[in-house]
Every structure is written in C-alpha cells, then in structure tokens.
Amino acid sequence: MKSFPNLSNWSLRNKLVFLIVLSSAISMLVSFSVLFGSSLRSSNNESLQQLSGISDILAENAQAALVFGDRTEAKRLLDALQEHREIQAAWILDAKGKTLAAWNRNGKVKSAPGNYKVASKQLHSDIWMKSADLYRPVVRGKERIGFILLQADFSERWSTYLANFETGLAVFALSLLVIYFLATRLQRVISQPIRDVANTARTIANDKAYDLRVPQHASDEIGDLIMAFNHMLSEIQDRDESLLRHQDRLEKEVTKRTAELARTNDELALAAKISGLGYWEYDVASREFTFNDQYYSLHFATAKQVGGYRMSYEDFAQRFVHPEDANRIGDHIRLELDSDEADFVVETEIRTQCTDGSMRWMRVRFKSLCDEQGNKYKLTGVSQDITEKKRSEETIWQQANFDPLTDLPNRRMFQDRLEQELKKSHRDKSPLALMFIDLDKFKEVNDTMGHDKGDILLVEAARRIAQCVRESDTVARIGGDEFTVILSELDDTSSVERIAQSIIDALVAPFQLDEDVAFVSASIGITLYPNDATNLEMLMSNADQAMYASKSAGRNRFSYFTHSLQEAALNRMHLINDLRSALSDDQLRLHYHPIVELDSGSIHKAEALLRWQHPERGLINPAEFVMLAEESGMIIDIGNWVFREAVQQVQRLRAIHHPEFQISVNKSPVQFRNDERHFQDWIPHLQQLGLPGQCISIEITEGLLLDATATVKSKLLDLRDAGIQVALDDFGTGYSSLSYLKKFDIDYIKIDRSFVRNLTATSNDMALCEAIIVMAHKLGLKVIAEGIETATQRHLLTAAGCDYGQGYFFSRPVPSHEFETLLKSSAS
C-alpha cells in the first residue's frame, strides 16, 4: 500500500495545486495546535490559581468558626460560594475530620467524600481539567485546627474551549478552501499557456488544420515558445495551401458535374421527408403497389424488410391495412376506377398496421392517370401520418364529455344523452326514468379524511352505481358527489324502485379507503317521462326536487317527484330570496324563553330564540327557514347577529335584574364547521363590553359531537378557555354517548321535551329522567328539563333533583320588553 500519492502521473496543474494546499495545511495546523494548546494550558492554570485563592481566603475566614465550633458562621461562609459558578460543593471539617458545615450548589448536601487529614494543600484534577478537588488544612499558628475541602466543575469552561476549537476548525477549513481557490487561479497562469500549445498541436496532428494558432498569453519565456510555435505553423500552412490549390481546381469540375446530377433527386427526397408524405403507385393491370422509402418509414419498416418496393394488392391489404378498414380502401379504389370524372382527387382516412404491431392513422389522397385512349391505367397517391392529430382530437373530446376522475359521462354528455333518449322515447312511446343521486355525509368524509380519500370513495361509488343498472343505461357524474342515472326503454316502471333500492343498498355498505373505513348513504330523487314532464329542463328540476325531498325525509331513501314537491320548491325558493334581505331590512327578532331554577323559582337564565317577522307572511316558524339558512350559508351572518343581540340584552339584564344573568344561544353545526371570522370575533366582543364569558351559554346538538372534526374540537376548547359554557340540547334523542360528556367540556344537559311530555310518577320516562339527572350530577353537570307544561311535571322533576326547568308552564318565549316585565313580576 502506498502511503503517499504518486505525483509523477499527475498533471502540472494538479501538482501545483496539491503542493500549495498541502504546505499551507501543515503550516496552519501546526500554528493552530500550538495556539490552542497554549491557550488551554494558560486557562487551566488560571482556573487552578483562582480555586487555590478561594481556598486561602476561606481558610483564613473559617479560623474563628473552627475554634469556636460555630456552625452558623461556617455555613454562612460556604453559602458565599454561590457566586463562584465553578465550585459545586464545599466542606469545612474540624481537626478530627468531622463536618462542621457543608454546601452543595444543587442543594443536596452530602457528607465529605473521605478523611482528608493532609499536611499541606493538595490539588487533584482529571487530565482534561473537567473537575478538580482541593484539600487545604486550616492552621492557627502552628496548630492545625481543621480542613477546607472544595470540589470544582470546569465543564462549562471546557465546553467553551470545545466551541472555540470547533470554530477554529471551521476557520481552518474555510482557509483551506480559499487557498485552494487561489492555487487553482495561480496554476492557470502557469499551466494554461502550456496546455494551449499541447491542445493545438494535438488538434493539428489529428485534423491537419494548420490554420490554427495558439493564443498569445504573455511576453515571458512561455510567450516566446508560443511565438516560435505559431511561426512554424505559418510556414507549414503556406506550403500546404500551395499544393492544395492545384488539387482543388481539378476536383471542382468533377464535383460540379456530380452535384448537378444529384441535386434533383436530393431535393425530391428531402421534400418528401420534410412533408412526412409517403408516395405510392397502383398499377391497374398487375394489381400491384409500388412504394417509396418514406412510405415504409411511416410504418417503421424498410423495403428490405418487406421484400422490395413492389407488393400485390392482397399483400398490401394484409400487411399494412387495419382489418376493419381493408374493405373501405378497396371500395374507394374501385369507385375511382369506375368513375368517369377526370382529375378527381379521392381523400379518406384509414387505420394502418405497423411492423412493430402498433396502429397508426393515415390520411390517404390519390387520383387516377389515363393513357392516350382515356383508359385509367394507374393510381398515384400520398399517405400522411395523422395519428397525433387523431389522439389530440380524441383527448379533447374525452375531456369535454367525460369526468376525469370516474370516467363517467359529465354534465355535458349526460344532457346530450338525455336529449337523445327523450327523442327516442317520444318516437317509441316508451317511458323513461331519471334519477338524481346525492351522497349523504360525503362532505364530512372529504373534510376529515382528505380529498384523496374522497376521490377514492367517488370512484368506488361510481362503480357500485354502474353495477346496479343495465349496460344500455347511462350513469353520469354531474359534479361533486352528485350522480345521475338515465333508465331508458322501460317495459315496466315498477323496475325503477328495485334499481333505486339496489343503489341505496350498494352505497350504504362500508367503503375501504386504504387503511380507513368510511360510511355514506344515498338520497335519490326519481322523475318519469312523460308522466312528470316532457322536456329536459323540467325533468332535471323534478329529479332535483325529489332528491331534496329524500334528504328532508331523513336521507338514505328514494322519493318520486310530485306536484306538491314543485309547490314546496317554489315556496322554498321564495323564502330563500326573502331571507337574503331579512337581516338587512331588520325583519329578524329575538324572543326569550326563561329558564327557571326549580328549587327557588328564580330566573337567572334564558334561551334566545330566533323569529322572522315577514312583512307579508307574518311571523314565520324557525323550522321553516333555519334549515334554508344553513343550506345557503346565511346562517353564519344570522348567527353572528343573534349573538350580538343576545350579548346586548344580557348586558342590560345584568345591570337591572341580576349581576350573573346568563343567556343561551343555539349554534348551528354549520357555524362550527364553516364560520371562522365571526366566531373569532365573539370573545373579543365580550371583552370589549367588559362582560365575562359566563354571561353566554352555547347550545349544541349531539350530532355535532358525533362528527366532531379537529376544527370543531378546537372551537369548543376556545369556548371553554373564554369561560363560555356549553349546553347539550335534546339529550337522549340522538346518538347519545357518555364518551362525549367526558371528552368535551359540557356544562349543561337539556332533557328533551319528549321525556317530559307524558311524565308521571310511575312512568318509564320518569325513570329515564331520574337516571339522566343522577348521571349528570355524578359528572358535575347541571340539568335543564325542557317542555314543562304542568305543575305535576315541575313537582316530579324538582323532587328528582333537576336543577332548571323550561316550558310553557312558566312562560312562552316573549320579546325583550315583555321578558323584562316578566322578570320584574317574578322578582316581586
């Protein structure tokens, strides 16, 4: 093994760079080592001298404490060592080695490590000076009255040395990099002129290019060498040029004659190659084709591979023409030969087969040639590859008419097919069914699991729907999670229900999305042609209304279109339009429903309920418009308005009625999932008015907790941090789970009115109410019973320990001014 590289095989450039860098590295390394070692030795000596000085001062001050056995004074002396960061522990020992006082920086005082009865000061340290122990006797006169023991830790200073060492290494590396850069620049000045001479000589030897010259770099010795070399080249060039001039005169004449003969053939071949056209001829008498090289190139073949430039009609059709197009090209040839027209160009498009097995599209154009008697004896034509153009057209058509995710027809193709099926049904007098399918709870899957998992679900849903219908039926995706099905040529419309139910059953099965499992269902709307409508627009509107009816009826079902649905849809549309101006036109109102403390009968709480005073329809039930507000997204602005009105009212009631009055507001799940800006403004709004979070309570449903996303959980935590309490509305009627009560900070449970309506002392409802109340109290929750309408119901709930009651027995929801009057009468 060689211990040092063999420089004899290196180039001059590499030798210069290597030696400069090596010598610089050795010099800097030696200097750095000496400097760092000297600094480290000096710092270690300084640390030890400092430790020795501290022991001398401590020994002098500890004499009185040792003579009188004063532990307090000794402890005070050791506590003063707190300022010396490197000292970790210290002991003052009496003459017998017993501990008079001890101190430890970490607070854990230990006994002295051993019996150190030394005659003189001793210092023990490790090789790298990370720690040191100093033992010093305390002498009064010539009598040794005790010992001082110090333990020091120099790890922090050593870490500083290591950091400085690393910095030095970095500077060392950077310096080497700079030196390497300067060395490469220096070697270029020396080696570049020599390399230019060598490269020029090598090029002249290979190419006989005596007109080359070496660039002049400088006027030194190397410059003289270059001048002499260039002069030699000039002499050689002059001699060769004289010999070549005579030879050129002889060759020019020969070249001129040859070029003129070849130019015509070259231009023709080049034109064919550039245009991408393959030329061919067909001899009518022999029924043979003749092709040029470019024609074979279009099919990735050569004349040699197929046996020459001539080929019979049968071989041509079998070897090059796609089987489905063989008859078509033959028909075009026969029609041209049988035609009486002259100078007529036939043009068609066919598929051809290549020697590699691929299929290409060709545009074929040809015409016939006639002899002196007017008989057609030959066809001449060209073929052009248009495969990429065909593929582009197919791709554009596919993208314009099909959904890229599911490969189903899109809305455009669906409408075109529906239009065609309607014409066919009208012609055949056969019924047609149109289905609109919407996936229930797909948005939750998309939001919680991500769009990639949502796409997988859509692809699988499309496959399941397609499996439930015939191949002649059309399944399309018209956007998002909405699909349509066209059932045409129906012999009996009774089969529509069977198909709809099979689609519902197929979609309710679990979806395996990689490692996750998702569950959705389908709401289907069905309309029939010609019973319900006779044109495309009305059929689509009818199916959409029927689908909406399925959703309103509880989802996971199908509904047929009826004219009452159309009336409901029109009413719904008018309500939505009117609702858009309800907030700006000051048509919304808040009514307050008191929440009574059952034990005392006092009212310190109320629920704010939204009312819409329509200018023409009068007071509209919230059940009619709240869902519309959620679907249209207007619930966010309306919910923000409700919150601010309730806050304004609670501020007034806290001032005139009770300082801890609380108003609860209902918060829609749509607000929790979609409202970012307004929700973030609630807490600052309370702070601006100087109101605590406890003045407001938020009522939510169990369904929100069932589908709680990270955003919902975060907002519930924000409410808790702000002191805003949360009530779980309609408890027991939905997906009740005790895990919600443990997982989320719920303050109140509201027993649904369905448990209170038929409440008697021996009823099952009474047992359920008692169980809910006991459970809630065990979890530290308050209970509010809704729907109290009789004194018996109030008495039974009070006896069961229910905290609050709400219902018509106490009061109906009333406007703010009537509610204040109610509070005054209840207080008196």
Side-chain angles (χ1 to χ4, degrees):
M1 180 181 294
K2 296 181 179 181
S3 59
F4 197 78
N6 187 5
L7 300 183
S8 61
N9 297 329
W10 287 18
S11 65
L12 176 61
R13 177 183 60 181
N14 292 338
K15 289 178 182 177
L16 287 173
V17 173
F18 175 76
L19 292 176
I20 292 173
V21 173
L22 179 62
S23 59
S24 300
I26 294 174
S27 300
M28 288 193 297
L29 187 61
V30 171
S31 301
F32 177 73
S33 301
V34 171
L35 179 64
F36 181 79
S38 174
S39 175
L40 181 61
R41 188 163 51 251
S42 174
S43 180
N44 288 344
N45 292 337
E46 180 184 348
S47 299
L48 294 178
Q49 289 176 4
Q50 182 180 359
L51 185 63
S52 177
I54 292 172
S55 69
D56 292 343
I57 296 173
L58 188 61
E60 183 178 351
N61 294 335
Q63 290 184 10
L66 287 169
V67 171
F68 297 103
D70 190 347
R71 294 179 180 273
T72 302
E73 176 62 18
K75 183 65 170 62
R76 186 187 64 80
L77 291 174
L78 294 183
D79 289 343
L81 297 176
Q82 184 72 31
E83 299 178 358
H84 300 280
R85 296 177 58 185
E86 294 177 341
I87 298 178
Q88 299 297 312
W91 291 266
I92 298 179
L93 310 175
D94 60 15
K96 297 179 179 180
K98 295 182 180 181
T99 301
L100 180 64
W103 173 83
N104 190 288
R105 182 171 297 278
N106 297 327
K108 297 180 181 180
V109 180
K110 301 179 181 179
S111 58
N115 188 11
Y116 300 104
K117 296 183 179 181
V118 296
S120 62
K121 183 189 301 185
Q122 293 186 8
L123 180 66
H124 299 281
S125 62
D126 58 16
I127 188 170
W128 296 110
M129 275 300 295
K130 292 184 180 179
S131 62
D133 295 340
L134 186 133
Y135 320 108
R136 188 192 191 288
V138 181
V139 180
R140 187 169 178 268
K142 294 184 178 181
E143 179 185 2
R144 187 171 56 201
I145 62 176
F147 304 92
I148 298 297
L149 173 58
L150 298 179
Q151 288 186 347
D153 184 1
F154 299 116
S155 298
E156 182 177 353
R157 181 172 297 187
W158 182 250
S159 299
T160 303
Y161 294 150
L162 289 179
N164 293 338
F165 182 74
E166 292 173 355
T167 303
L169 288 179
V171 173
F172 173 73
L174 182 61
S175 300
L176 280 183
L177 184 62
V178 173
I179 291 172
Y180 174 78
F181 175 75
L182 295 177
T184 55
R185 299 293 294 180
L186 178 62
Q187 62 82 21
R188 290 180 185 175
V189 175
I190 298 175
S191 64
Q192 186 64 41
I194 300 174
R195 189 163 56 251
D196 289 344
V197 173
N199 290 338
T200 303
R202 190 179 300 111
T203 303
I204 294 172
N206 295 331
D207 302 336
K208 307 301 180 183
Y210 294 107
D211 57 337
L212 293 179
R213 298 294 182 269
V214 180
Q216 189 72 33
H217 287 270
S219 58
D220 53 10
E221 291 82 354
I222 297 177
D224 294 340
L225 173 63
I226 292 174
M227 290 180 62
F229 184 78
N230 287 338
H231 180 72
M232 179 186 67
L233 291 178
S234 298
E235 295 292 331
I236 295 174
Q237 182 183 8
D238 291 342
R239 183 193 63 187
D240 283 0
E241 287 179 352
S242 176
L243 295 174
L244 290 174
R245 277 193 292 270
H246 179 68
Q247 182 180 351
D248 287 344
R249 282 194 298 270
L250 297 176
E251 292 179 350
K252 282 181 181 179
E253 188 65 25
V254 177
T255 302
K256 181 179 179 181
R257 299 290 183 180
T258 305
E260 290 176 353
L261 293 174
R263 185 177 301 129
T264 302
N265 291 333
D266 290 342
E267 289 176 352
L268 292 175
L270 180 61
K273 188 174 182 180
I274 293 175
S275 63
L277 298 176
Y279 290 94
W280 55 269
E281 294 180 351
Y282 176 71
D283 187 274
V284 177
S286 64
R287 299 185 76 247
E288 286 185 336
F289 282 96
T290 304
F291 307 101
N292 70 345
D293 289 328
Q294 185 64 23
Y295 184 88
Y296 288 123
S297 297
L298 295 178
H299 296 82
F300 307 106
T302 62
K304 184 178 181 180
Q305 289 176 329
V306 298
Y309 291 96
R310 301 182 69 84
M311 185 180 298
S312 67
Y313 176 85
E314 289 75 15
D315 288 343
F316 162 72
Q318 182 179 3
R319 185 182 296 273
F320 287 120
V321 183
H322 193 278
E324 297 179 4
D325 292 345
N327 293 333
R328 187 149 58 91
I329 188 64
D331 292 341
H332 279 87
I333 291 177
R334 282 190 295 272
L335 287 174
E336 170 60 16
L337 293 177
D338 295 339
S339 174
D340 294 333
E341 297 184 23
D343 297 330
F344 179 74
V345 178
V346 179
E347 182 172 336
T348 185
E349 294 178 357
I350 64 170
R351 289 167 292 176
T352 62
Q353 299 179 128
C354 300
T355 56
D356 62 357
S358 62
M359 187 273 289
R360 309 290 293 181
W361 276 96
M362 298 289 171
R363 177 180 287 118
V364 179
R365 287 174 290 183
F366 61 91
K367 64 174 293 185
S368 58
L369 299 179
C370 299
D371 57 15
E372 296 177 354
Q373 289 76 29
N375 298 321
K376 297 181 178 179
Y377 72 96
K378 183 185 293 186
L379 298 178
T380 62
V382 294
S383 295
Q384 182 180 17
D385 191 332
I386 58 170
T387 305
E388 296 304 322
K389 178 176 178 294
K390 281 286 187 180
R391 288 176 180 172
S392 299
E393 291 174 351
E394 183 179 353
T395 300
I396 293 172
W397 184 85
Q398 181 77 16
Q399 292 175 348
N401 295 280
F402 286 85
D403 174 47
L405 178 64
T406 62
D407 289 332
L408 294 178
N410 59 14
R411 180 182 291 272
R412 176 179 174 177
M413 176 63 78
F414 156 71
Q415 291 180 345
D416 181 69
R417 289 191 181 179
L418 180 57
E419 191 71 45
Q420 297 303 320
E421 292 295 343
L422 288 177
K423 293 178 181 178
K424 186 177 180 181
S425 295
H426 176 72
R427 183 175 61 252
D428 299 341
K429 306 298 182 183
S430 61
L432 175 148
L434 175 63
M435 293 182 180
F436 267 27
I437 305 171
D438 187 86
L439 301 183
D440 304 323
K441 296 189 177 179
F442 171 75
K443 185 178 184 301
E444 286 81 350
V445 174
N446 214 30
D447 291 342
T448 56
M449 297 186 182
H451 295 289
D452 292 340
K453 301 292 180 66
D455 289 347
I456 297 175
L457 190 150
L458 289 174
V459 172
E460 175 62 15
R463 187 189 66 82
R464 294 184 187 182
I465 295 172
Q467 288 180 339
C468 297
V469 301
R470 302 166 298 179
E471 290 187 3
S472 59
D473 298 325
T474 296
V475 179
R477 180 187 177 212
I478 59 175
D481 58 344
E482 295 180 345
F483 297 85
T484 59
V485 175
I486 304 174
L487 303 176
S488 57
E489 300 180 2
L490 293 175
D491 297 329
D492 185 6
T493 57
S494 61
S495 62
V496 175
E497 292 189 13
R498 176 182 56 80
I499 296 173
Q501 188 59 50
S502 65
I503 293 175
I504 290 174
D505 295 339
L507 293 178
V508 81
F511 286 80
Q512 187 67 43
L513 310 179
D514 294 337
E515 69 279 1
D516 298 321
V517 178
F519 294 88
V520 298
S521 58
S523 296
I524 303 179
I526 306 173
T527 186
L528 300 175
Y529 170 89
N531 296 355
D532 298 332
T534 57
N535 61 67
L536 182 146
E537 290 78 12
M538 288 302 299
L539 280 173
M540 292 180 63
S541 176
N542 293 347
D544 185 63
Q545 293 172 27
M547 183 269 292
Y548 179 78
S550 296
K551 282 193 173 294
S552 300
R555 303 177 180 177
N556 195 30
R557 65 191 68 217
F558 64 85
S559 300
Y560 281 96
F561 168 78
T562 63
H563 290 288
S564 60
L565 285 179
Q566 191 170 20
E567 294 175 1
L570 289 174
N571 181 56
R572 177 171 170 267
M573 181 185 67
H574 292 317
L575 270 181
I576 290 178
N577 291 336
D578 292 345
L579 187 58
R580 296 187 187 280
S581 59
L583 189 60
S584 59
D585 293 347
D586 196 24
Q587 297 175 11
L588 300 181
R589 304 284 186 272
L590 281 187
H591 286 194
Y592 298 92
H593 202 190
I595 300 175
V596 180
E597 189 174 16
L598 293 181
D599 279 341
S600 63
S602 58
I603 302 175
H604 300 153
K605 299 179 183 294
E607 181 180 1
L609 300 173
L610 183 63
R611 298 290 184 265
W612 181 9
Q613 186 66 42
H614 194 280
E616 298 176 0
R617 305 188 185 192
L619 198 62
I620 299 179
N621 192 319
E624 295 184 45
F625 69 86
V626 170
M627 183 178 294
L628 299 180
E630 290 179 337
E631 294 176 357
S632 63
M634 288 185 285
I635 193 65
I636 295 176
D637 289 331
I638 293 175
N640 187 51
W641 176 86
V642 170
F643 172 78
R644 290 181 176 271
E645 287 292 314
V647 168
Q648 183 178 353
Q649 182 66 25
V650 79
Q651 184 180 33
R652 174 176 171 80
L653 294 178
R654 283 189 163 224
I656 66 174
H657 178 66
H658 194 279
E660 295 183 359
F661 202 91
Q662 182 186 73
I663 292 181
S664 62
V665 295
N666 291 277
K667 192 166 177 65
S668 165
V670 177
Q671 290 175 272
F672 262 98
R673 295 190 182 102
N674 301 335
D675 183 14
E676 291 291 344
R677 178 175 55 85
H678 288 156
F679 180 76
Q680 293 175 355
D681 292 342
W682 283 18
I683 297 172
H685 183 65
L686 290 176
Q687 295 172 346
Q688 184 179 0
L689 298 177
L691 291 174
Q694 290 81 359
C695 71
I696 290 293
S697 173
I698 303 297
E699 293 194 11
I700 61 175
T701 61
E702 290 176 310
L704 175 68
L705 302 184
L706 177 69
D707 300 323
T709 63
T711 302
V712 172
K713 296 175 183 178
S714 175
K715 290 179 179 179
L716 287 173
L717 291 176
D718 290 342
L719 292 176
R720 180 200 64 185
D721 295 340
I724 297 177
Q725 295 181 323
V726 178
L728 194 59
D729 200 7
D730 302 332
F731 183 79
T733 62
Y735 300 91
S736 301
S737 173
L738 297 181
S739 64
Y740 298 150
L741 304 179
K742 294 171 58 180
K743 187 175 181 180
F744 301 99
D745 288 325
I746 306 299
D747 301 285
Y748 299 96
I749 290 177
K750 300 192 75 172
I751 300 177
D752 187 69
R753 64 183 69 251
S754 61
F755 297 111
V756 179
R757 183 182 301 114
N758 301 316
L759 196 63
T760 63
T762 59
S763 64
N764 290 334
D765 289 336
M766 187 65 214
L768 288 173
C769 288
E770 289 176 339
I772 292 173
I773 293 169
V774 171
M775 176 203 67
H777 287 171
K778 288 289 186 180
L779 296 175
L781 309 179
K782 298 290 186 180
V783 181
I784 303 172
E786 295 184 296
I788 299 177
E789 298 181 357
T790 66
T792 302
Q793 293 169 351
R794 173 184 179 175
H795 173 74
L796 291 174
L797 289 168
T798 303
C802 185
D803 302 290
Y804 299 96
Q806 187 178 4
Y808 286 178
F809 176 76
F810 305 106
S811 171
R812 292 177 175 272
V814 293
S816 59
H817 62 281
E818 295 184 23
F819 183 66
E820 292 182 13
T821 304
L822 174 65
L823 292 179
K824 291 178 182 178
S825 62
S826 65
S828 62

